Amino acid sequence: MEKYVLPPEPLTNEAISERLTTQAMLRVNSGLVKKRNLVYLELNGCSGNIISLLNGQNPDFDYTLQSLVNLRYSNSLMVAEGTQAIEQLMEQLDDDFILAVEGAVALKNNGLYNIIGSLEGEPLTGLKAAQMFGEKAAHIISVGACSTHGGVSAAKPNPSESVGLQSVLKEKAIIKLPGCPVHPDWFLGTLSHLLLYGEPETDSLGRPLMFYSTLIHDRCPRRPFFDRGIFAEKLGDKTCLFKLGCRGPVTRVDCPTRQWNGHVNWPIGANTPCIGCSQFGFPDAMAPFISYDTTRVVRDE
């Protein structure tokens, strides 16, 4: 008799990722769920997302990743380099794999502003790699703001003509995890959901609702100050940071309750405004990050 994995009971956003990763590891270890291959491309960006992922705790990113998938390619994490690394990458084209892409896709000069290796004596651009592997992948995850919509790599004046991954894979369904950087829980939770139940429910922009459904403003511990019109006048004040430029009212993500660096703090907790890094349009649409606009009101920005 075939065994089925039951969906998890309703949980808070914060608990969902840990529950999913724990269940996925147990199911993979018991043979109920197949361990999948993962190709992780790093394109035009700062590698901030892979650094953030390596800082993951409870569950630990390195251990969890090895328990969930067969990591077939990662520029930062694999032992092989040069020709050997690219050969390992190309071997995956004929196999089943999940594709994760960090960084924007540079279009300038047919992609030559971002080269990830050499293939048959020719530069292997990030553009070509994204197209080749995007067309063959069973599932695609855009990791971080640059991959989801261009992010900092596509900020004005955008000399590399960088774009988000969806712009070069227009017909493909892509799970988007915006953030600068992405939180380890968002990536591991999404990966675990793929293994257990398939692709998670997303909003109209492709963001998983289990992480990106609620405005920061609606769960911010300083919301009572906003409601009473008590606003910070300078950085360091313990009241609402809205009139110093906080983008919480237009940013959907679970930072207030999930928090960062081992789930211990987040920007507002450190007395700095949210800069809206997980919102589409970041950074240009969220600038300036700090302002002293005493006339600012809540509106759709």
Side-chain angles (χ1 to χ4, degrees):
M1 180 177 178
E2 186 176 0
K3 295 183 179 180
Y4 294 92
V5 179
L6 296 177
E9 65 270 15
L11 293 169
T12 62
N13 294 60
E14 304 73 62
I16 283 175
S17 181
E18 184 176 356
R19 166 65 185 269
L20 285 171
T21 51
T22 299
Q23 287 299 312
M25 286 190 290
L26 289 173
R27 301 290 178 173
V28 169
N29 290 337
S30 64
L32 292 175
V33 171
K34 180 183 177 182
K35 200 172 186 180
R36 306 287 292 275
N37 297 325
L38 176 68
V39 171
Y40 192 106
L41 294 178
E42 295 173 63
L43 304 185
N44 194 25
C46 66
S47 298
N49 292 290
I50 197 68
I51 293 172
S52 175
L53 294 176
L54 289 171
N55 284 329
Q57 302 177 30
N58 300 320
D60 172 80
F61 175 75
D62 185 47
Y63 173 77
T64 305
L65 192 67
Q66 293 183 56
S67 300
L68 294 177
V69 297
N70 302 307
L71 182 60
R72 297 306 190 192
Y73 180 86
S74 166
N75 178 63
S76 293
L77 302 182
M78 68 192 304
V79 175
E81 59 184 36
T83 301
Q84 185 181 8
I86 297 302
E87 288 176 352
Q88 288 185 211
L89 172 62
M90 299 309 297
E91 288 173 358
Q92 298 310 305
L93 273 177
D94 296 323
D95 206 345
D96 174 74
F97 64 92
I98 296 170
L99 175 66
V101 178
E102 166 179 345
V105 184
L107 301 181
K108 186 72 174 288
N109 291 354
N110 201 29
L112 287 176
Y113 275 49
N114 176 224
I115 298 172
I116 67 171
S118 178
L119 179 64
E120 298 177 349
E122 298 292 333
L124 177 58
T125 65
L127 170 60
K128 184 174 182 179
Q131 292 172 328
M132 291 172 61
F133 285 87
E135 291 300 328
K136 293 290 188 71
H139 304 283
I140 306 173
I141 306 174
S142 273
V143 184
C146 289
S147 182
T148 58
H149 61 272
V152 173
S153 297
K156 297 176 182 178
N158 194 8
S160 61
E161 297 179 6
S162 287
V163 296
L165 183 64
Q166 189 77 74
S167 294
V168 299
L169 296 173
K170 298 183 184 297
E171 304 302 320
K172 301 290 288 188
I174 300 177
I175 303 168
K176 300 179 180 69
L177 305 178
C180 191
V182 75
H183 195 292
D185 290 359
W186 304 338
F187 178 75
L188 289 175
T190 300
L191 187 61
S192 298
H193 198 289
L194 282 174
L195 297 179
L196 290 170
Y197 317 117
E199 297 194 356
E201 183 181 2
T202 61
D203 63 12
S204 61
L205 296 175
R207 302 174 296 187
L209 290 174
M210 57 186 175
F211 303 127
Y212 296 91
S213 62
T214 307
L215 286 171
I216 283 179
H217 188 59
D218 291 340
R219 293 202 288 183
C220 179
R222 300 193 186 191
R223 176 63 183 266
F225 290 112
F226 176 89
D227 292 339
R228 289 182 288 170
I230 304 174
F231 299 104
E233 297 180 356
K234 63 183 184 302
L235 295 177
D237 286 354
K238 303 293 185 180
T239 52
C240 178
L241 296 165
F242 174 72
K243 292 195 174 182
L244 294 183
C246 181
R247 299 298 175 183
V250 296
T251 304
R252 292 186 181 277
V253 76
D254 60 10
C255 290
T257 47
R258 184 172 303 284
Q259 305 197 12
W260 293 75
N261 299 326
H263 311 98
V264 298
N265 206 353
W266 68 301
I268 304 300
N271 291 316
T272 185
C274 163
I275 62 174
C277 75
S278 63
Q279 195 67 7
F280 278 60
F282 172 85
D284 291 346
M286 298 293 115
F289 296 152
I290 303 294
S291 67
Y292 292 88
D293 183 3
T294 58
T295 65
R296 186 183 177 209
V297 296
V298 176
R299 57 186 173 85
D300 185 4
E301 302 184 9

